[in-house]
Amino acid sequence: MNRPKIWIALDVPARGDAESLMNKFSSHRQFKVGLELFTAIGPGPVIEWIRQGWEIFLDLKLHDIPHTVSRAINRIEEMGVSLTTVHATGGMAMIEALSREQLAIVGVTLLTSLSTDDIHQMGITGTSQDFVINAAQRCKHAGLDGVVASLDETPRIRELWPESRIVVPGIRWGAAVPGDDQERIATPQQAVLAGATDLVIGRSLIGRPDVVQAYQELMAMVESVSEER
Ligand code: C5P
């Protein structure tokens, strides 16, 4: 398996902040644009970045009626985005027939901020792991390209869906993230060894005082285990 893609989350409020981060990691080409930044800057700058050679994961976690989601996916595809997300809990009609040639679409199984207790509060029985595996099976049958999942479920998903993209967020190393809201976390090495194809890296990297040093640490950790899997 190849080295996984590392998506650096541009979880910042303005275009200038995003571009200053992109310039700090000048050799890195993969960045994730999420709700905060996209709400602030809209598609224009994102399209410009893509034209300049950056690869963008637009993480909007779509969840609406099938017609609306399918049309939003058309707009995302037109932007030239490489990877995007829809909620697997949107139902089969929403997630099937979304497949696009130039755009990979992965299903959010269960947010990594949610635990088994949270899903019980929603009236769902079973563990968070059962919930994620069930969602992954639905994503597979719907013809999506893969899933977003935590470390805990990655090996099982890899088994039941060998060609799946598995995007793992909640990556942590070094100092604790203040007010951390991720319940299910992994080190970069654990995620790579478990079979993740894509890692999403946010506050453990962009929240560090020396982001360039943190980036070097991250790349060394990923390299050290990529050969082993
Ligand atoms: O800062 P941290 O590393 O926790 O950032 C995680 C990023 O990954 C955020 O941009 C968040 O929206 C995203 N994400 C997530 N859990 C998912 C899907 C995406 O945390 N299930």
Side-chain angles (χ1 to χ4, degrees), residues 9 11 32 59 61 108 111-112 148 169 172 182 200 202-203:
D11 289 338
K32 182 176 91 76
D59 181 22
K61 302 187 181 71
V108 176
L111 294 172
T112 36
V148 185
R172 294 288 178 266
Q182 298 281 20
V200 174
R203 288 162 290 182

Side-chain angles (χ1 to χ4, degrees), residues 96-161:
E96 67 193 5
L98 283 186
S99 159
R100 297 292 193 277
E101 227 158 77
Q102 301 299 332
L103 169 67
I105 306 174
V106 290
V108 176
T109 52
L110 179 69
L111 294 172
T112 36
S113 54
L114 299 179
S115 64
T116 294
D117 282 350
D118 290 304
I119 66 166
H120 288 170
Q121 277 167 15
M122 296 174 204
I124 297 162
T125 52
T127 64
S128 58
Q129 202 159 7
D130 301 333
F131 187 92
V132 172
I133 299 303
N134 176 281
Q137 271 158 337
R138 282 183 283 111
C139 291
K140 182 180 183 196
H141 293 138
L144 293 186
D145 296 284
V147 291
V148 185
S150 82
L151 171 75
D152 301 350
E153 303 86 25
T154 297
R156 177 84 185 96
I157 297 171
R158 177 60 59 232
E159 232 173 75
L160 65 88
W161 188 359

